[in-house]
Amino acid sequence: MAPAPSTSSSSKPPSLSGDTPATPPDALSLHPIPSELPAPLSDPPADIPPDGGYGWVCVFALFFINSSTWGINSSYGVFLAHYLSTDAFPGATPLHYAFIGGLSTSTSMVIGPLVTFSLRHASTRAVMALGLAMEVGALIAASFATQIWHLFLTQGVLFGAGMGFLFTASIGAISQWFSAKRSVANGITAAGSGIGGLAYSLGIRAIIARHGLAWAFRAVALCALVVNAACTALLRDRNKHVRPHQRAFDVALLRRWSVALVLAWGFFSMLGYIVILFSLPDYARSRGFSATQGSVLGALLNLGMAFGRPLVGLASDRWGRINVGGLMTAVTAVSCFAIWIPARSFGVAVLFSLINGAVCGTFWTTIAPVAVEVVGIRELPSALSLVWMSVVLPTTFAEPIALYLREPGAENPYLHPQVFSGMMYVAAAITMWLLRAWKLGENDRKLEEENRESGKGDGPPAVAPSGFLDRWKAGSKWWRYGWV
C-alpha cells in the first residue's frame, strides 16, 4: 500500500492563481528592504559652452559657408541689373526677375522646419552635404536656362533649397560653442555674407561682361563647391552636450508674446532689407550711374556688412543683444531717410552703401543670440525654425513690391521703395523696443522671486537713486537702462 501523503504544516498546496510560493523568511534577510526610496533622477546639468577652442574653427568654417551661400544670394542685384538692361529671356517682365531673387531667399526659409526635422534623424554634415549638392546643381542648371521658368526653378527654388539646408543646419552650431562671446562669434560668421557678396558681385559682373551669363553661373558653382565642401568637413556641432529640442514647428513657442515680437522683428526687417539688397544696382542705373558704378554700390554694401557685422556683434556682447539689435535697426531706418533719399551724387550713394551695409543686416547678426535671450539655448533650433517661416512672405514679395512702387521716368524712380524700406525698419525697431521692455520686466520678476526665496525682501527699504545714471537704471522698464 502506498504511504499516505504528508499533512505536515511545512507543506503548502500550490496556489490556484499561479502565484509563486511565498519567499522564505531567511531569504528576506539577504535582500533587506531599503529604508528610503532612491531619489528621482534629476535633469542633467546645464551645458557650459567652452567659449572658444574648436569653436573658432567652426566660426571660420561658417564664415566661408555664408560667403558662398548668402554672399552669392546678395550678388543677385548684379544678375537683376543685367536681366533688366538686356532681353536675355524674351517675354520676361521686371516682376518676373524680381520674384527670382525673392524665391531663392524665401525657399531657403520655408524649408527651415524640414531641415530641423532632418537634423533629428541625420548628422549635421549629412544635411549640409545634401544642401551643397542642390546649390551646385542649381547653378549649373541655371547656366543652361533658355526660358524664364527655367530660372524660377534653378536660380530661384533649387538654389534657395540648397542654401537653406546649408545655412539652417549650421547656424545653431556657433551658439553651442560660445556664451559670453556669442554675439561677436555670430557677427564674424554673418560678415561672411558681406565678403562673399563683395567678391561675387565684382566677379559676376566681370565674367558676364567678358564671357557671358552662362559662364558666370558655372564659375560661381565651382567656387561654391570647393568652399562649402571644405567647410562642411570642418564644422562640428555640440548636440550631444546641449541635447537641443529640434522640433520642426513648436506651437507652444508661438503662444509666447516675446516670441511673437521676435517674429515681427524679422518680418519687418526683411521687408526693408531685401529692397535695399536687390534694388541698389538698378537704383544706380535709374539715377544715371553706369552699370559698373551700380555693381560697385552693391559691392560696397556687402563691404559694409563685412566690417559692420562683427562690430555689431561685439557691441551686443558688451551692451546687450536686444539693446544693440533694436538700436542698429533704428539706425538703418535713419540712414534710409537721411542719406539714401537725398542722395544725388555717386559719392553720397557710396556713403549710404557703406553705412547702411554695416547695420541693415543686424537681424542676421543677432537673431541667434537674441533668440537665446528669449527662449534659451535648448529651444534655439525650434525657435529659429519659426523665425525662418516668419520671413518667407517678406523675402518673397519685398522686391516685387519695390519694383511695383517705383516710377520709371520720374526724377527719382525709387523714391517710394526708399520710403517703404525706411518705414519697415521703423516698424522693426518698435518691435525690438517692446521686446526690450518685456525682457526687463522678466528680469525684474525673476529678481523679485529670488529675493522672496532668500528672505531679502524683508530687509530695509532701498535707498532712492540720486544721480542721473542711477535714476536711469532704476526707472520704468519702458525707458530705463539695462543689459538685455
Side-chain angles (χ1 to χ4, degrees):
M1 178 181 291
S6 171
T7 59
S8 169
S9 61
S10 61
S11 63
K12 186 175 181 179
S15 171
L16 295 176
S17 62
D19 295 336
T20 58
T23 305
D26 57 343
L28 295 176
S29 62
L30 298 176
H31 305 282
I33 299 176
S35 58
E36 297 182 0
L37 294 176
L41 295 176
S42 59
D43 293 334
D47 174 69
I48 300 177
D51 236 10
Y54 195 82
W56 291 115
V57 177
C58 296
V59 168
F60 170 85
L62 191 53
F63 174 92
F64 282 99
I65 289 173
N66 283 336
S67 72
S68 289
T69 51
W70 291 108
I72 296 173
N73 189 68
S74 297
S75 65
Y76 180 72
V78 178
F79 285 107
L80 179 62
H82 173 74
Y83 296 150
L84 293 175
S85 61
T86 63
D87 192 22
F89 297 90
T93 66
L95 200 60
H96 289 147
Y97 294 128
F99 268 114
I100 294 171
L103 268 179
S104 64
T105 306
S106 61
T107 302
S108 69
M109 299 290 100
V110 77
I111 65 171
L114 175 61
V115 178
T116 303
F117 176 80
S118 301
L119 290 171
R120 296 176 62 182
H121 303 280
S123 67
T124 300
R125 287 176 180 168
V127 175
M128 293 176 65
L130 176 60
L132 174 59
M134 287 190 288
E135 180 187 31
V136 174
L139 293 169
I140 295 295
S143 70
F144 296 99
T146 57
Q147 299 183 42
I148 187 62
W149 66 269
H150 296 167
L151 286 184
F152 272 96
L153 294 180
T154 55
Q155 193 177 13
V157 176
L158 187 57
F159 175 79
M163 184 168 63
F165 269 86
L166 280 163
F167 169 73
T168 307
S170 59
I171 185 175
I174 300 303
S175 294
Q176 295 177 352
W177 284 97
F178 295 91
S179 178
K181 303 174 183 176
R182 181 174 291 144
S183 289
V184 69
N186 278 277
I188 293 172
T189 62
S193 63
I195 292 294
L198 171 65
Y200 283 111
S201 293
L202 296 176
I204 289 169
R205 173 64 190 168
I207 296 174
I208 289 176
R210 295 182 183 180
H211 304 288
L213 179 64
W215 281 106
F217 278 120
R218 292 162 194 162
V220 172
L222 178 61
C223 293
L225 174 63
V226 174
V227 172
N228 289 333
C231 293
T232 298
L234 289 173
L235 191 70
R236 296 180 187 173
D237 59 48
R238 299 184 67 250
N239 288 341
K240 293 182 179 179
H241 303 277
V242 178
R243 293 182 292 276
H245 298 158
Q246 294 173 328
R247 302 184 184 94
F249 196 82
D250 194 342
V251 180
L253 290 178
L254 285 176
R255 300 191 184 103
R256 301 185 189 180
W257 169 245
S258 55
V259 173
L261 289 174
V262 173
L263 302 185
W265 175 47
F267 184 91
F268 291 121
S269 292
M270 287 302 98
L271 281 172
Y273 175 79
I274 295 296
V275 171
I276 297 171
L277 186 66
F278 291 161
S279 297
L280 205 54
D282 189 60
Y283 155 81
R285 185 187 60 81
S286 71
R287 297 308 300 267
F289 304 143
S290 66
T292 300
Q293 287 176 315
S295 64
V296 168
L297 288 182
L300 291 177
L301 183 77
N302 286 283
L303 179 62
M305 296 179 189
F307 74 77
R309 290 184 177 185
L311 295 178
V312 170
L314 186 64
S316 65
D317 281 336
R318 174 64 178 84
W319 289 292
R321 284 76 187 256
I322 299 176
N323 287 339
V324 174
L327 178 61
M328 293 300 102
T329 302
V331 169
T332 306
V334 172
S335 70
C336 290
F337 291 110
I339 304 177
W340 195 16
I341 293 178
R344 296 291 185 273
S345 65
F346 181 68
V348 178
V350 167
L351 178 65
F352 170 77
S353 296
L354 291 172
I355 293 178
N356 189 271
V359 294
C360 69
T362 295
F363 170 79
W364 299 113
T365 307
T366 58
I367 179 56
V370 166
V372 172
E373 294 295 322
V374 174
V375 301
I377 187 65
R378 297 192 68 187
E379 297 288 353
L380 178 61
S382 300
L384 290 180
S385 181
L386 295 176
V387 170
W388 309 146
M389 289 295 295
S390 72
V391 299
V392 168
L393 289 179
T395 53
T396 302
F397 294 103
E399 186 61 13
I401 290 173
L403 292 184
Y404 178 79
L405 291 176
R406 69 176 183 158
E407 295 180 330
E411 180 185 358
N412 181 6
Y414 273 87
L415 176 60
H416 293 161
Q418 289 169 324
V419 173
F420 173 79
S421 180
M423 290 305 300
M424 292 303 99
Y425 274 108
V426 169
I430 291 174
T431 62
M432 286 299 280
W433 175 61
L434 295 174
L435 182 67
R436 180 182 183 275
W438 167 84
K439 184 64 177 178
L440 288 172
E442 186 72 6
N443 291 345
D444 291 344
R445 183 187 63 80
K446 291 180 179 179
L447 182 60
E448 289 178 2
E449 290 181 355
E450 292 176 0
N451 290 340
R452 191 181 305 112
E453 292 175 357
S454 61
K456 293 181 180 179
D458 300 331
V463 179
S466 55
F468 170 77
L469 186 59
D470 291 335
R471 289 197 298 271
W472 188 17
K473 292 180 179 179
S476 167
K477 68 179 182 179
W478 296 103
W479 59 269
R480 79 164 185 260
Y481 174 80
W483 193 101
V484 289

